[in-house]
Amino acid sequence: MQTYPLIIAGMSVPAGAHFEVRNPADGSVVGLAPKASLADLDEAVAAATAAFPSWSATPDSIRKAACHAVADTLAAHAEELARLVTLEQGKPLNGLGSRWEIGGAQAWAHYTADLELLPKVLQDDNAGRVELHRTAIGVVGSITPWNFPVMIAIWHIVPAIRAGNTVVVKPSPYTPLSTIRMVELINAVLPPGVVNCVTGDNEIGAAMSTHAGIGKIAFTGSSGTGKKIMASAAPTLKRLTLELGGNDAGIVLPDCDPKAIAEGLFWGAFINNGQTCAALKRLYVHERIHDEVCDELVAVARRTPVGNGLDEGSVLGPIQNRMQFERVRQLVDDAVAHGGRLLSGGPPPDPEGSLFYPPTLVTDLDNGVPLVDEEQFGPALPIIRYADVEAVIARANDNPNGLGGSVWSPDIEAATSVARRLRTGSVWINKHGAIQPNAPMAGVKQSGLGLSFAEEGLQEYTDVQVIFK
Ligand code: NAD
């Protein structure tokens, strides 16, 4: 049984206490994670603070090269990291699983490395010259969830260090091991203290959001936790980027070919077993093609292999943890009790002994049922029949979240005009959830604050300084 260390100031630091990290496929213990104390957190923040003056003053070209080196390090250890993600997270090695996650982390790191933070001349005339410069903030606290542990940590770490900040990252207690190992590996290409890693329970995250030594929190996780972080960051006026929960609606217009869109709809909803922020979480289908779309989705669900992520043939794995499993089960049971019709899936015969939950489709539902109104974050998709496009836009928008959405139609113009009326940070036409490093991602309403990716996302890791000459 491997015992993992904290990573502080470029060193592996043993912790005073540990906790078990379990494989959701079979309940076996994958490793022992360090349970950081508040004193350990102080040490990590002190290491990041000590590294900041020199790192923020490091020439831009060297920081850029270091970010590329981080990406190359991920590539060199891709299989090791992918297996560790599969072991602790449950997702398969294959498909849109852990190898894909590590590949995505590399792509994001390379792209972000090449972004520039050039000064902008706002005015240059007889009255004077005004320049806008961007400066690093200081120590960034990164707090990440359990669904894409390595990729999301990289989404925080690379723009933070590219802009000259130093980092303390705290992964989810459900999936800490791949982040610890990743931080250990990238420390080989970074100066000590630039990226540190502490793990422990939620208390460590809470302590980070009040810590006077941390200038910004980059948080990806649930809207509930995001609100707590925002409140506890207020006394020190920390900069915040909050990437929070979603309840993305997909609207299928009546002119779609059900066969042609079924795979896209299915993977929009079931990527990572639905445990994805911008997954399709409510599907509105026009009554003219509702039954055919349901039949096609059931066919995709039936041919999708679910199993232990280490088996090369698995395309979906288990739900990551018991709490989430019970939540999905309860939402589906409740939907069926409210008149929902189970088309595929539902809980396995022995839910107590297993976290495997088959891809589940439930129709004959409407807004007002929790499976529709709330984020399920698991492999259960509610399908809602509609007749009127105006009314369905209102129903899609009738939700406190506003992360993503999608509109499906061969008529791209008609789909775009519906898309423009959805109150979400991203909208896809004939696909769902396809994020990329050159396009900003933001949640509107209660799905977040600030944004990630691209030049705009990099700027979130800076303060603005304007020089008047
Ligand atoms: P979570 O909010 O329970 O936990 C996320 C992280 O916050 C963990 O590291 C946890 O230990 C930490 N934490 C918990 N309580 C804290 C507190 N009081 N202060 C500071 N940190 C605290 O979320 P989760 O269950 O790990 O992840 C699932 C959620 O994340 C879903 O709602 C999903 O939509 C969202 N998510 C959003 C995005 C996005 O980009 N918008 C991406 C992935 C996941």
Side-chain angles (χ1 to χ4, degrees):
M1 180 60 48
Q2 192 172 343
T3 301
Y4 287 71
L6 303 164
I7 310 292
I8 299 176
M11 287 180 296
S12 297
V13 177
H18 297 89
F19 59 97
E20 290 177 345
V21 178
R22 289 185 180 271
N23 180 344
D26 58 13
S28 62
V29 179
V30 181
L32 295 178
K35 191 169 186 314
S37 62
L38 294 178
D40 292 326
L41 172 62
D42 285 342
E43 230 182 275
V45 174
T49 306
F52 178 71
S54 145
W55 182 247
S56 57
T58 296
D60 202 58
S61 59
I62 294 180
R63 287 207 304 259
K64 181 182 281 205
C67 292
H68 281 302
V70 164
D72 292 339
T73 304
L74 297 176
H77 297 270
E79 189 62 16
E80 176 198 348
L81 288 169
R83 295 188 90 79
L84 197 45
V85 168
T86 291
L87 282 169
E88 67 176 353
Q89 206 284 336
K91 67 180 68 183
L93 291 167
N94 282 322
L96 299 169
S98 57
R99 289 177 181 139
W100 179 81
E101 175 173 345
I102 304 301
Q106 289 164 51
W108 250 270
H110 277 307
Y111 184 86
T112 309
D114 282 332
L115 291 173
E116 302 289 351
L117 284 166
L118 299 172
K120 222 165 132 181
V121 178
L122 304 179
Q123 181 188 323
D124 193 9
D125 57 21
N126 291 340
R129 181 177 165 94
V130 182
E131 296 165 357
L132 184 152
H133 294 258
R134 294 198 168 265
T135 53
I137 297 167
V139 177
V140 171
S142 153
I143 303 176
T144 58
W146 46 260
N147 57 346
F148 290 93
V150 170
M151 188 151 70
I152 292 177
I154 286 292
W155 288 350
H156 295 173
I157 290 170
V158 176
I161 65 173
R162 174 72 189 84
N165 303 282
T166 56
V167 178
V168 176
V169 57
K170 189 211 81 68
S172 165
Y174 290 115
T175 54
L177 304 180
S178 52
T179 306
I180 297 171
R181 180 65 181 136
M182 180 268 285
V183 171
E184 186 174 46
L185 288 167
I186 67 175
N187 262 275
V189 296
L190 294 171
V194 170
V195 180
N196 309 273
C197 180
V198 293
T199 62
D201 50 28
N202 297 344
E203 257 176 49
I204 292 294
M208 286 169 74
S209 52
T210 56
H211 203 293
I214 291 180
K216 174 189 170 85
I217 295 283
F219 171 75
T220 303
S222 62
S223 297
T225 305
K227 289 173 194 178
K228 284 187 200 162
I229 289 175
M230 193 168 175
S232 48
T236 47
L237 271 179
K238 290 190 197 333
R239 279 75 187 117
L240 294 174
T241 301
L242 304 176
E243 294 285 1
L244 308 179
N247 193 0
D248 293 11
I251 299 177
V252 178
L253 297 179
D255 54 356
C256 279
D257 170 2
K259 222 181 204 28
I261 60 170
E263 285 273 345
L265 286 174
F266 183 85
W267 288 109
F270 289 93
I271 175 174
N272 202 29
N273 241 343
Q275 302 166 129
T276 304
C277 53
L280 202 175
K281 292 177 178 146
R282 304 175 275 156
L283 181 62
Y284 295 88
V285 185
H286 192 271
E287 59 183 4
R288 194 186 300 163
I289 54 170
H290 169 272
D291 292 355
E292 274 176 89
V293 169
C294 287
D295 290 347
E296 293 296 338
L297 283 173
V298 169
V300 183
R302 290 213 175 117
R303 63 174 181 260
T304 300
V306 180
N308 189 313
L310 290 179
D311 295 342
E312 296 282 347
S314 298
V315 181
L316 290 177
I319 293 181
Q320 202 281 326
N321 58 73
R322 169 67 55 190
M323 186 191 63
Q324 199 61 34
F325 179 94
E326 293 301 342
R327 172 156 173 78
V328 172
R329 182 162 66 147
Q330 192 202 335
L331 285 170
V332 171
D333 286 353
D334 171 85
V336 170
H338 279 88
R341 182 161 50 95
L342 212 48
L343 299 172
S344 77
D350 176 22
E352 295 313 317
S354 162
L355 294 181
F356 285 98
Y357 196 106
T360 295
L361 298 158
V362 192
T363 191
D364 295 346
L365 294 171
D366 203 346
N367 287 34
V369 173
L371 182 60
V372 179
D373 289 354
E374 297 173 19
E375 182 184 38
Q376 67 278 54
F377 213 63
L381 179 68
I383 303 173
I384 303 111
R385 189 192 306 258
Y386 76 89
D388 177 55
V389 174
E390 284 303 311
V392 86
I393 294 170
R395 276 195 279 176
N397 284 332
D398 184 18
N399 196 277
N401 289 311
L403 193 58
S406 58
V407 186
W408 302 70
S409 169
D411 181 344
I412 304 299
E413 241 174 77
T416 306
S417 78
V418 174
R420 291 284 297 135
R421 296 175 60 196
L422 294 180
R423 285 215 54 214
T424 60
S426 306
V427 198
W428 293 274
I429 310 287
N430 294 325
K431 54 190 169 188
H432 197 110
I435 51 171
Q436 48 193 62
N438 60 347
M441 174 176 163
V444 303
K445 299 197 280 184
Q446 294 186 27
S447 283
L449 188 76
L451 48 77
S452 301
F453 314 154
E455 202 179 293
E456 293 85 348
L458 181 60
Q459 289 171 357
E460 292 251 327
Y461 289 86
T462 64
D463 281 330
V464 165
Q465 185 184 50
V466 179
I467 301 186
F468 301 83
K469 296 180 182 173

